[in-house]
Amino acid sequence: MKTLLTVTIIFCFTIFTQAQDVKTAQEISSLLKDNGTLSKLHYPQSVIRFYAGINSEYAWITAEKSDQPETAMLLLEYSYRFGLSLSDYHWDSISLQKLRKLRDTPVEENQREKAEFDILMTDALITFINHLHLGKYNPLYQSSYIDSNDINGFRSDDILQNARQQTDFLKTILEVQPKIKEYTDFQNYLNTLYEEEDCIAPESESEKIMINMERLRWIDANDTSYILVNIPSYTLKLYNKGNVFDFKVIIGKPATRTPVLRSIITYFTTAPDWKVPQSIFVKEMLPKILKSPQYLEDHHYSVYDKNGNQVEISSSKLKEIRQNPSRYSVRQSSGCDNALGAVVFRFENSYGIYLHDTSQKQLFNKDDRALSHGCIRVENAQELAALLLKDDGSGSKIPVLESAMSEYKRKDFVLKQPVPIVITYLTCLIIDGKPVLYKDIYHLDDSLENMFNQNK
């Protein structure tokens, strides 16, 4: 009789639990079909996919003994430690206190309120994960695109689903952050800062760190070996196998900015000739040629027609060039006066820029080096080329490189392992454990700071 009673109780409890699970699933499903609810969500499609993966059950308002929900809520509460804003994560509707209160109420009570809370908390975490990995104001991806697509294999709802199945929920979430050293330096600095009692960074410093962490999230680079060009600091760093090599660079003037981009260097060429960009030819070079045709010979330039035939310069030809400059182009032959110097590093991009040596090496002595038309000139270009060969397992080619550069002989050096190059715009870096600010050369900080300040 006792055994029968026990079986009956277990059976009734199972039926009751299943009924509650069905009711929960119905509440979640109903809310995720409600336009009013969906309009509150930052990433509605991601939230729908997430709940489809757990049969529309509660993810956080559960009776299970798990510290994940409270860990998740604390992660959102400490979002400022990641250079992010708590107001972006539904903090007016969810809180740790409310989570605990709803979890402690009987299972059958407040079903709709619990479902609403669970959905908002899921959306907050999905938003936080997207912000950690891609940034909040990523110029390449609108939030609607991120919501509907995976970005290079990344989907925040998949990350959150996976994190719930891991023993270290927190670590799995934070793994989505950029691995690039400059970002890690910022994160370590903030962790140290906020662990010290009564230690608060000046507002201006906090804003600089916030916007520059944001910029690093746009890069989507997790390589261990790469070249990083930072425009405001006029620097190039080569990272390889735990080593860092520093170089000075010259970057674009404010009127002809060096773009932010990510690409790969596949090869470099010694003794390059220079095909002058048409805009430079028409706006800057043609007036000098018309004033003195000797300018071409003095600087080793040659003029070509549309068919690639070299043009003999005469007074009548100069008149024709002046009237129809688009029909002509100019190239500079290799040599000590060549604008590209003795070596140029090629990488695919839509801006037509490259990294190269220069004949005007004295310019590296200047503090302000925003002097080019957009391309990047690097000091000690031969050393950079030699390091790339060595790291590529082609150290034996270094004497050939040196000879080709000194004698201005054209030779291509193709890398077996292309090297990622990241050109970024960071007005703040952590140097020796302290923030160092750089001049906002292109005046890009104010607009990004204003975007973040709107949601404080």
Side-chain angles (χ1 to χ4, degrees):
M1 185 67 180
K2 186 176 180 180
T3 301
L4 179 60
L5 181 61
T6 302
V7 171
T8 302
I9 292 172
I10 293 173
F11 176 76
C12 291
F13 179 77
T14 301
I15 294 297
F16 175 77
T17 302
Q18 290 175 343
Q20 289 300 319
D21 289 344
V22 169
K23 186 167 178 55
T24 299
Q26 289 174 341
E27 289 287 358
I28 296 282
S29 297
S30 175
L31 286 173
L32 291 179
K33 293 175 184 175
D34 176 63
N35 289 333
T37 300
L38 293 177
S39 67
K40 298 176 185 177
L41 307 182
H42 304 307
Y43 295 93
Q45 297 306 313
S46 302
V47 172
I48 289 170
R49 288 194 303 270
F50 175 83
Y51 281 104
I54 60 172
N55 299 316
S56 296
E57 296 178 357
Y58 291 143
W60 317 108
I61 308 292
T62 64
E64 298 174 11
K65 291 184 177 180
S66 169
D67 61 359
Q68 279 189 6
E70 295 201 0
T71 298
M73 194 62 74
L74 287 170
L75 188 58
L76 296 174
E77 191 170 350
Y78 286 105
S79 55
Y80 63 90
R81 290 195 176 207
F82 303 91
L84 297 169
S85 303
L86 180 59
S87 58
D88 288 325
Y89 309 116
H90 300 298
W91 209 247
D92 55 338
S93 301
I94 64 175
S95 67
L96 183 57
Q97 182 181 5
K98 190 171 182 180
L99 170 69
R100 289 169 175 167
K101 180 181 177 182
L102 289 174
R103 290 182 73 184
D104 289 343
T105 58
V107 177
E108 68 278 6
E109 293 182 14
N110 303 330
Q111 289 276 5
R112 189 172 182 83
E113 184 181 1
K114 289 177 180 177
E116 287 176 345
F117 184 98
D118 208 85
I119 289 170
L120 286 176
M121 185 169 167
T122 296
D123 186 59
L125 288 165
I126 282 173
T127 304
F128 180 74
I129 292 168
N130 280 329
H131 288 177
L132 272 187
H133 185 71
L134 296 167
K136 182 178 177 182
Y137 300 108
N138 195 310
L140 298 178
Y141 308 110
Q142 296 292 323
S143 59
S144 57
Y145 183 86
I146 296 170
D147 195 24
S148 302
N149 300 272
D150 69 50
I151 311 296
N152 298 323
F154 170 85
R155 254 188 173 154
S156 52
D157 50 297
D158 290 340
I159 298 293
L160 186 57
Q161 188 73 267
N162 179 47
R164 292 179 71 243
Q165 298 167 5
Q166 304 302 318
T167 54
D168 196 333
F169 175 87
L170 184 62
K171 180 182 178 183
T172 306
I173 297 291
L174 298 184
E175 276 291 312
V176 305
Q177 295 182 96
K179 306 297 189 299
I180 197 166
K181 182 182 181 298
E182 284 69 18
Y183 183 93
T184 304
D185 287 344
F186 279 131
Q187 189 60 78
N188 290 340
Y189 176 76
L190 288 181
N191 286 339
T192 302
L193 185 72
Y194 289 119
E195 282 169 5
E196 297 175 6
E197 289 186 15
D198 302 322
C199 188
I200 301 174
E203 185 175 355
S204 59
E205 180 183 292
S206 298
E207 287 181 347
K208 292 297 181 188
I209 291 173
M210 176 183 287
I211 64 173
N212 286 292
M213 288 180 80
E214 170 76 5
R215 286 170 174 147
L216 287 167
R217 291 177 182 126
W218 300 345
I219 292 172
D220 192 25
N222 292 317
D223 307 286
T224 54
S225 297
Y226 59 95
I227 286 173
L228 181 88
V229 175
N230 184 37
I231 295 168
S233 61
Y234 307 113
T235 56
L236 179 153
K237 291 180 181 289
L238 171 62
Y239 290 96
N240 186 266
K241 300 172 184 175
N243 298 313
V244 185
F245 301 92
D246 295 283
F247 298 84
K248 290 181 180 180
V249 296
I250 292 168
I251 52 88
K253 295 175 286 189
T256 52
R257 298 176 179 181
T258 296
V260 171
L261 60 84
R262 183 176 188 271
S263 187
I264 55 172
I265 294 176
T266 53
Y267 73 102
F268 53 89
T269 303
T270 57
D273 60 2
W274 180 40
K275 183 178 180 181
V276 179
Q278 200 67 10
S279 60
I280 298 176
F281 166 52
V282 173
K283 294 178 182 178
E284 300 181 26
M285 194 173 291
L286 187 54
K288 296 176 182 177
I289 297 171
L290 294 172
K291 185 177 181 181
S292 173
Q294 188 64 29
Y295 175 86
L296 290 167
E297 185 178 341
D298 290 346
H299 295 85
H300 308 290
Y301 291 118
S302 299
V303 180
Y304 296 83
D305 62 22
K306 276 200 165 184
N307 296 320
N309 300 313
Q310 189 170 343
V311 173
E312 290 250 355
I313 298 300
S314 62
S315 57
S316 60
K317 181 57 69 175
L318 281 175
K319 183 179 179 181
E320 187 179 331
I321 292 172
R322 182 181 62 189
Q323 292 173 343
N324 301 286
S326 61
R327 295 180 181 177
Y328 298 90
S329 62
V330 172
R331 292 181 196 167
Q332 186 182 39
S333 60
S334 62
C336 60
D337 293 330
N338 187 280
L340 303 185
V343 63
V344 60
F345 304 85
R346 304 286 187 181
F347 51 92
E348 185 177 343
N349 66 90
S350 60
Y351 304 94
I353 68 161
Y354 27 84
L355 175 69
H356 62 88
D357 185 24
T358 179
S359 57
Q360 298 177 297
K361 301 188 189 303
Q362 74 280 2
L363 296 179
F364 289 108
N365 295 324
K366 290 179 172 286
D367 292 328
D368 295 327
R369 297 193 293 277
L371 305 168
S372 82
H373 290 91
C375 285
I376 303 158
R377 309 174 199 170
V378 60
E379 189 178 33
N380 302 322
Q382 181 172 304
E383 179 187 347
L384 176 60
L387 285 168
L388 291 180
L389 286 176
K390 182 181 178 182
D391 295 340
D392 200 46
S394 301
S396 60
K397 294 181 181 179
I398 292 176
V400 179
L401 165 73
E402 294 171 345
S403 175
M405 288 183 68
S406 63
E407 297 176 16
Y408 290 97
K409 289 184 178 178
R410 182 182 177 91
K411 185 171 180 59
D412 291 335
F413 293 82
V414 179
L415 298 174
K416 291 176 283 189
Q417 292 293 327
V419 177
I421 179 168
V422 175
I423 304 172
T424 190
Y425 191 89
L426 303 174
T427 52
C428 177
L429 290 171
I430 305 299
I431 308 293
D432 297 327
K434 298 291 182 182
V436 175
L437 303 182
Y438 299 100
K439 182 180 177 182
D440 183 11
I441 304 166
Y442 299 158
H443 304 289
L444 300 178
D445 279 5
D446 286 349
S447 59
L448 191 53
E449 285 176 5
N450 289 337
M451 288 181 189
F452 274 98
N453 288 336
Q454 286 172 2
N455 282 337
K456 275 190 175 180

